[in-house]
């Protein structure tokens, strides 16, 4: 899969950076409910088909872009956080423990997680416009970061993953406040410097590396199904993970 480095040094698939750039330039970070409101499946499938051909269409609906970013993570052969056991995630209830836990991830998963956390932190910085706080954005990403065969186990694990992501997002935001970064803006973290060797072999590789395995399952056009399930799990357990 063709990768590029963002300006934080994370090597991630170029398609993620392309979608991120378009999301930001089309002011997607300010769109109310970004990453929570799902687009119509027909629109998403059209854009998905174009991306699989190596084409980034003009004027993509920002909710469609956000949905496809989540879909990319959801459709990986294994989840980014699958290297962490549910028991370890369950016991991870402080920032220090969260930081130590994610150090167990392999370099590829670490880069993807770091990129996703930065993206979610960028969303939260525009909370006044998009109404997405750290808990909300962690909730919609959590079901896409792990894969389990048993639905009930997957749901309860997603609640714990949500808490882990929320902790890491808040840590990233605090560090941004504590550190003066010259010329900071969300787009400053998008870089498209391409590298050779195993990362880039040919134009054909670039095009096929965009492919998702298949269409999304049917979701309500205006709700993120995974987030709704997490909310229901919280209510059923009697705990509020806020």
């Amino acid at each position: 899969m063709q990768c590029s480095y963002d300006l934080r040094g994370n090597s991630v698939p170029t398609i993620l950076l392309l979608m991120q750039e378009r999301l930001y330039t089309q002011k997607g970070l300010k769109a109310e409910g970004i990453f929570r409101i799902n687009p119509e499946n027909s629109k998403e499938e059209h854009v998905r088909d174009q991306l699989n051909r190596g084409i980034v269409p003009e004027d993509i609906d920002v909710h469609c872009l956000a949905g496809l970013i989540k879909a990319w993570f959801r459709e990986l052969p294994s989840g980014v956080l699958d290297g962490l056991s549910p028991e370890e995630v369950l016991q991870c209830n402080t920032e220090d423990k969260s930081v130590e836990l994610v150090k167990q991830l392999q370099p590829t998963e670490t880069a993807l997680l770091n990129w996703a956390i930065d993206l979610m932190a960028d969303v939260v910085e525009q909370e006044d416009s998009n109404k997405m706080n750290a808990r909300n954005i962690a909730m919609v990403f959590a079901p896409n970061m792990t894969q389990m065969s048993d639905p009930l186990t997957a749901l309860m694990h997603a609640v714990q993953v949500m808490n882990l992501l929320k902790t890491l997002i808040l840590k990233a935001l605090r560090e941004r406040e504590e550190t003066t970064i010259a010329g900071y803006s969300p787009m400053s973290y998008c870089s498209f410097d391409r590298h050779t060797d195993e990362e880039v072999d040919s134009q054909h590789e670039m095009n096929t590396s965009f492919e998702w395995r298949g269409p999304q399952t049917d979701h309500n056009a205006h709700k993120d199904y995974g987030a709704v399930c997490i909310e229901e799990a919280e209510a059923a357990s009697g705990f509020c993970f806020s």
Side-chain angles (χ1 to χ4, degrees), residues 118-142:
D118 286 330
L119 171 64
M120 289 185 269
D122 288 343
V123 170
V124 177
E125 287 190 325
Q126 302 296 325
E127 180 184 351
D128 288 346
S129 299
N130 60 37
K131 314 302 181 189
M132 296 293 289
N133 58 27
R135 179 180 181 276
N136 292 339
I137 191 66
M139 181 183 295
V140 297
F141 259 87

Side-chain angles (χ1 to χ4, degrees), residues 6 20 26 32 53 62 66 83 98 112 130 151 159 164-165 169 171 192 208 213 222:
D6 67 11
Q20 181 185 32
Q26 292 185 195
E32 185 169 344
R53 297 169 184 268
V62 292
S98 299
L112 287 170
N130 60 37
V159 174
L164 173 64
L165 293 178
I169 294 166
K171 175 179 180 292
F192 303 97
T208 56
R213 298 201 307 271
H222 302 292

Side-chain angles (χ1 to χ4, degrees), residues 64-108:
C64 183
L65 277 168
L68 287 170
I69 290 173
K70 291 189 299 181
W72 190 92
F73 280 91
R74 181 170 60 253
E75 296 174 16
L76 288 172
S78 61
V80 169
L81 297 180
D82 281 357
L84 310 177
S85 73
E87 293 75 21
E88 290 174 316
V89 177
L90 178 62
Q91 296 170 8
C92 190
N93 52 16
T94 67
E95 182 179 298
D96 289 342
K97 288 182 178 179
S98 299
V99 172
E100 288 303 311
L101 182 61
V102 298
K103 287 180 180 178
Q104 298 180 23
L105 295 172
Q106 295 298 312
T108 297

Side-chain angles (χ1 to χ4, degrees), residues 135-182:
R135 179 180 181 276
N136 292 339
I137 191 66
M139 181 183 295
V140 297
F141 259 87
N144 306 294
M145 305 297 277
T146 62
Q147 296 182 17
M148 291 186 173
S149 57
D150 178 61
L152 181 58
T153 303
L155 177 58
M156 298 310 297
H157 185 46
V159 174
Q160 303 304 327
V161 169
M162 178 190 76
N163 291 325
L164 173 64
L165 293 178
K166 177 186 172 185
T167 298
L168 296 175
I169 294 166
L170 293 175
K171 175 179 180 292
L173 290 169
R174 189 189 72 252
E175 290 176 346
R176 289 183 183 185
E177 292 178 355
E178 294 172 349
T179 304
T180 301
I181 303 177

